[in-house]
Amino acid sequence: MESVEQATSINIAILPSSGVSELAIALSQKVGQNFPTEFTLNHERYMPHVTIYQAHFPLKNIPLLVNELKGITSATEPFRINMEEFTISYDTFIFWICERSQALQSLHEEVVGRTNPLREGSILPHLTQVTGLTEDDKIDMQRYGALGIGPGFRPHLTISRFSDFNDANAAINSLKEVNNKAIFEVKELILGYLGQSGTVNGVIETFKLRE
């Protein structure tokens, strides 16, 4: 397994439309004004996104990772994502859930299948701080170095993470009046730097889907 200095945490993700991004940022700001949180979404350091796969990769394998993503996206047609309800996950995260369509599930499985071997057994360092893990989650960590893989894939956009899990119920109740239904078209995939709590804090490369 590679040492920390020789590897980096990567988020392979979808960036939503500007309308969905702006709403997610506004909701993150609203939650942060009322409760202590670990981050607030913005356009630079904490970018709204839907994760396809995040993992810790040896630096020497990044060019191989890029090549795999080019191959996947060149054969993937654009599709739509339907946004659904808000939920609390892993005790402290507030997720905006996406419909797990066949197109989204297939993209996830293709990306994981072709890029998981490139991590060479590394596990995301920040997962040691996540609570509320199930036995299936622990198995995913060992097999894929990440959570929510394959049948357990639960696509979502993270709105925020609470500093105190006791605030979760009150925070989710504060979003009851928000219209959580939205649709956007996916036309590209990004390779991004993985920040704290699973955030994206920069784009390394963008891959257009097949037109």
Side-chain angles (χ1 to χ4, degrees), residues 31-94:
V31 170
Q33 288 169 357
N34 295 302
F35 306 94
T37 59
E38 298 300 303
F39 64 87
T40 299
L41 294 177
N42 55 46
H43 292 296
E44 293 82 31
R45 187 166 176 77
Y46 302 110
M47 303 167 67
H49 67 279
V50 176
T51 292
I52 298 300
Y53 182 42
Q54 53 184 221
H56 203 60
F57 293 97
L59 293 176
K60 65 182 177 65
N61 287 347
I62 298 302
L64 299 176
L65 181 61
V66 168
N67 286 338
E68 291 292 349
L69 293 177
K70 285 180 178 178
I72 293 168
T73 52
S74 66
T76 302
E77 295 183 352
F79 61 94
R80 290 185 174 183
I81 287 181
N82 295 306
M83 305 303 296
E84 299 182 330
E85 74 273 12
F86 301 113
T87 66
I88 300 298
S89 294
Y90 304 116
D91 294 334
T92 57
F93 290 87
I94 183 164

Side-chain angles (χ1 to χ4, degrees), residues 189-203:
L189 199 63
I190 65 126
L191 182 67
Y193 292 109
L194 183 66
Q196 70 177 83
S197 301
T199 55
V200 171
N201 58 20
V203 175

Side-chain angles (χ1 to χ4, degrees), residues 2-208:
E2 298 289 325
S3 67
V4 173
E5 292 76 13
Q6 296 174 305
T8 188
S9 295
I10 293 294
N11 202 329
I12 301 166
I14 293 166
L15 301 185
S17 64
S18 59
V20 171
S21 289
E22 292 300 334
L23 178 54
I25 290 171
L27 293 175
S28 187
Q29 291 172 340
K30 176 180 180 180
V31 170
Q33 288 169 357
N34 295 302
F35 306 94
T37 59
E38 298 300 303
F39 64 87
T40 299
L41 294 177
N42 55 46
H43 292 296
E44 293 82 31
R45 187 166 176 77
Y46 302 110
M47 303 167 67
H49 67 279
V50 176
T51 292
I52 298 300
Y53 182 42
Q54 53 184 221
H56 203 60
F57 293 97
L59 293 176
K60 65 182 177 65
N61 287 347
I62 298 302
L64 299 176
L65 181 61
V66 168
N67 286 338
E68 291 292 349
L69 293 177
K70 285 180 178 178
I72 293 168
T73 52
S74 66
T76 302
E77 295 183 352
F79 61 94
R80 290 185 174 183
I81 287 181
N82 295 306
M83 305 303 296
E84 299 182 330
E85 74 273 12
F86 301 113
T87 66
I88 300 298
S89 294
Y90 304 116
D91 294 334
T92 57
F93 290 87
I94 183 164
F95 287 174
W96 189 1
I97 300 297
C98 309
E99 178 187 13
R100 192 174 66 172
S101 66
Q102 184 57 54
L104 187 53
Q105 181 70 29
S106 294
L107 178 60
H108 164 71
E109 292 177 357
E110 182 78 2
V111 168
V112 172
R114 291 174 61 170
T115 64
N116 179 46
L118 298 177
R119 68 182 178 85
E120 298 184 1
S122 296
I123 295 176
L124 288 167
H126 79 268
L127 293 184
T128 59
Q129 303 170 9
V130 177
T131 58
L133 297 180
T134 65
E135 288 305 312
D136 286 341
D137 290 330
K138 295 174 184 178
I139 291 172
D140 278 350
M141 283 177 60
Q142 295 302 316
R143 288 181 177 173
Y144 307 105
L147 300 175
I149 305 299
F153 179 48
R154 195 182 187 201
H156 62 274
L157 191 162
T158 301
I159 298 298
S160 192
R161 184 182 187 185
F162 307 109
S163 300
D164 185 345
F165 72 89
N166 291 305
D167 291 328
N169 289 333
I172 202 75
N173 287 334
S174 72
L175 301 181
K176 279 187 174 180
E177 303 304 317
V178 176
N179 180 8
N180 53 26
K181 305 300 181 184
I183 301 174
F184 69 92
E185 187 170 13
V186 179
K187 297 183 178 180
E188 59 189 30
L189 199 63
I190 65 126
L191 182 67
Y193 292 109
L194 183 66
Q196 70 177 83
S197 301
T199 55
V200 171
N201 58 20
V203 175
I204 300 169
E205 191 162 343
T206 300
F207 307 88
K208 298 287 185 183

